[in-house]
């Protein structure tokens, strides 16, 4: 048992080390765009599940966010934040995922983030690529260190299904209706972060896989985890500044929160890292996260009930 303790800790908290290394690179280079929040989600899943869908596609891990980030910066430079621009970047991002047959759903967040945070720099796609290349290398090395591929557990099979591209388009209309509703409210002064980018990734995975979504059993867990991560993310950045300490504490807290409430939803970790790249993060971010995740959960629960009713009627 003792001999397996270190590998277990590295597997469970390896993403903390990776994100801390990214934060250190930010401090040394002064290049804040390197801290792409979805790296928290991607690294957590890839290091914990070296043969999962995301870990098994290192090329897509690099290419998909790069393409959506380029589209996102272009739109941020040519379109104002609003329903049209948000829907367009979501359609483009999902189109990229479909076209290149990728499973990297967090790439949607890479495309949406420039619109929401007002990022106009063309260094943003390059910064994301630096992080995903580093993670792809970690993924390949990690697989070499774990050559014995054990049979997938039930949770692994569910996670792999959640990370697959959707097989039909029935989910698209309710998902887009939710996005439109949130975006309309987010256009109010001070409400922009109601549409924080990881929200769309979470919604995409939920609506596209209503029959297997593990977060639907106890739907209160998702808003709870997201809100706590947002609070901790803002708190550590306020107290410590955006550095290695804030990044590592945010990641550790997010992992522990999900473990306590028995929730495996990697995009939640991106919420805690989002304050690291905000211009002036304040606690107003926390109620916005709570509001939007409660709305998402309610919308998804309604869609799931309708979908199940349709399936039974057949």
């Amino acid at each position: 048992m003792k001999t397996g303790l270190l590998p277990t800790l590295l597997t469970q908290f390896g993403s903390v080390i990776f994100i801390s290394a990214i934060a250190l690179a930010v401090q040394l280079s002064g290049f804040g765009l390197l801290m792409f929040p979805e790296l928290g989600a991607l690294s957590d899943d890839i290091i914990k599940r070296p043969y999962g869908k995301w870990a098994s596609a290192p090329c897509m891990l690099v290419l998909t966010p790069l393409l959506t980030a380029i589209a996102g910066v272009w739109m941020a430079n040519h379109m104002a934040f609003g329903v049209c621009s948000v829907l367009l970047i979501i359609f483009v991002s999902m189109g990229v995922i479909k076209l290149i047959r990728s499973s990297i759903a967090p790439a949607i967040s890479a495309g949406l983030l420039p619109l929401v945070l007002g990022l106009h720099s063309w260094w943003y796609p390059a910064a994301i690529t630096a992080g995903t290349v580093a993670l792809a290398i970690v993924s390949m090395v990690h697989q070499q260190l774990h050559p014995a591929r054990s049979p997938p557990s039930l949770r692994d099979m569910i996670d792999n299904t959640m990370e697959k591209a959707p097989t039909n388009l029935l989910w698209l209309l309710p998902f887009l209706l939710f996005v439109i509703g949130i975006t309309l409210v987010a256009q109010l002064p001070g409400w922009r972060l109601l549409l924080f980018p990881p929200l769309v990734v979470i919604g995409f995975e939920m609506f596209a896989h209503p029959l297997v979504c593990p977060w639907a059993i106890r739907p209160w867990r998702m808003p709870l985890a997201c809100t706590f991560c947002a609070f901790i993310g803002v708190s550590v950045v306020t107290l410590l500044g955006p550095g290695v300490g804030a990044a590592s504490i945010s990641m550790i807290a997010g992992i522990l929160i999900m473990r306590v409430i028995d929730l495996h939803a990697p995009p939640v970790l991106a919420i805690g890292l989002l304050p690291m790249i905000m211009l002036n993060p304040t606690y107003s971010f926390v109620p916005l996260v709570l509001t939007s995740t409660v709305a998402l959960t309610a919308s998804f629960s309604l869609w799931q009930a309708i979908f199940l009713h349709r399936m039974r009627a057949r």
Side-chain angles (χ1 to χ4, degrees), residues 81 86 112 116 179 182-183 186 191-197 199-200:
F81 176 83
V86 167
L112 185 59
V116 175
V179 171
I182 286 291
T183 306
W191 287 69
R192 176 79 63 93
L193 287 171
L194 193 69
L195 187 70
F196 60 92
L199 177 75
V200 180

Side-chain angles (χ1 to χ4, degrees), residues 130-204:
T132 53
V133 166
L135 184 55
I137 294 171
V138 169
S139 174
M140 290 185 287
V141 171
H142 193 40
Q143 282 190 351
Q144 292 299 315
L145 296 176
H146 295 79
R149 185 171 182 173
S150 57
S153 64
L154 177 60
R155 171 165 281 184
D156 283 332
M157 290 188 286
I158 291 173
D159 289 341
N160 284 336
T161 301
M162 291 290 291
E163 292 168 7
K164 284 182 180 177
T167 56
N168 61 66
L169 296 177
L170 288 175
W171 63 277
L172 191 56
L173 179 59
F175 170 68
L176 293 178
L177 288 175
F178 165 76
V179 171
I180 290 170
I182 286 291
T183 306
L184 286 172
V185 182
Q187 291 180 88
L188 296 172
W191 287 69
R192 176 79 63 93
L193 287 171
L194 193 69
L195 187 70
F196 60 92
L199 177 75
V200 180
V201 177
I202 295 169
F204 173 82

Side-chain angles (χ1 to χ4, degrees), residues 182-234:
I182 286 291
T183 306
L184 286 172
V185 182
Q187 291 180 88
L188 296 172
W191 287 69
R192 176 79 63 93
L193 287 171
L194 193 69
L195 187 70
F196 60 92
L199 177 75
V200 180
V201 177
I202 295 169
F204 173 82
E205 294 187 346
M206 291 173 72
F207 277 90
H209 306 96
L211 295 180
V212 297
C213 180
W215 316 325
I217 300 173
R218 285 174 286 173
W220 56 267
R221 294 183 299 174
M222 180 60 74
L224 183 66
C226 293
T227 304
F228 270 118
C229 284
F231 175 78
I232 291 168
V234 173

Side-chain angles (χ1 to χ4, degrees), residues 14-273:
S15 57
V16 178
I17 299 172
F18 178 80
I19 292 299
S20 297
I22 294 293
L24 180 60
V26 169
Q27 282 188 323
L28 294 176
S29 67
F31 194 29
L33 293 177
L34 287 171
M35 183 53 74
F36 173 45
E38 290 290 355
L39 284 174
L42 290 164
S43 62
D44 183 69
D45 186 82
I46 285 171
I47 293 174
K48 286 180 180 176
R49 303 188 322 114
Y51 290 98
K53 281 284 180 183
W54 291 350
S56 300
C59 290
M60 292 301 172
L61 174 64
V62 175
L63 181 61
T64 319
L66 170 62
L67 295 176
T68 59
I70 291 172
V73 172
W74 187 91
M75 289 186 194
N77 284 323
H78 292 84
M79 300 180 71
F81 176 83
V83 173
C84 291
S85 58
V86 167
L87 288 181
L88 183 56
I89 189 57
I90 289 175
F91 272 119
V92 168
S93 298
M94 293 192 301
V96 167
I97 289 171
K98 179 72 173 178
L99 184 65
I100 66 176
R101 298 182 180 181
S102 174
S103 63
I104 311 298
I108 300 173
S109 181
L112 185 59
L113 195 144
L115 271 175
V116 175
L117 295 189
L119 295 178
H120 303 281
S121 172
W122 283 105
W123 284 107
Y124 170 68
I128 283 185
T129 302
T132 53
V133 166
L135 184 55
I137 294 171
V138 169
S139 174
M140 290 185 287
V141 171
H142 193 40
Q143 282 190 351
Q144 292 299 315
L145 296 176
H146 295 79
R149 185 171 182 173
S150 57
S153 64
L154 177 60
R155 171 165 281 184
D156 283 332
M157 290 188 286
I158 291 173
D159 289 341
N160 284 336
T161 301
M162 291 290 291
E163 292 168 7
K164 284 182 180 177
T167 56
N168 61 66
L169 296 177
L170 288 175
W171 63 277
L172 191 56
L173 179 59
F175 170 68
L176 293 178
L177 288 175
F178 165 76
V179 171
I180 290 170
I182 286 291
T183 306
L184 286 172
V185 182
Q187 291 180 88
L188 296 172
W191 287 69
R192 176 79 63 93
L193 287 171
L194 193 69
L195 187 70
F196 60 92
L199 177 75
V200 180
V201 177
I202 295 169
F204 173 82
E205 294 187 346
M206 291 173 72
F207 277 90
H209 306 96
L211 295 180
V212 297
C213 180
W215 316 325
I217 300 173
R218 285 174 286 173
W220 56 267
R221 294 183 299 174
M222 180 60 74
L224 183 66
C226 293
T227 304
F228 270 118
C229 284
F231 175 78
I232 291 168
V234 173
S235 297
V236 293
V237 170
T238 301
L239 293 172
L240 304 176
V244 176
S248 58
I249 291 172
S250 177
M251 284 291 293
I252 291 171
I255 292 170
L256 292 178
I257 287 168
M258 289 195 290
R259 178 171 292 184
V260 167
I261 64 177
D262 191 25
L263 174 72
H264 179 65
V268 171
L269 296 174
I271 299 171
L273 293 175

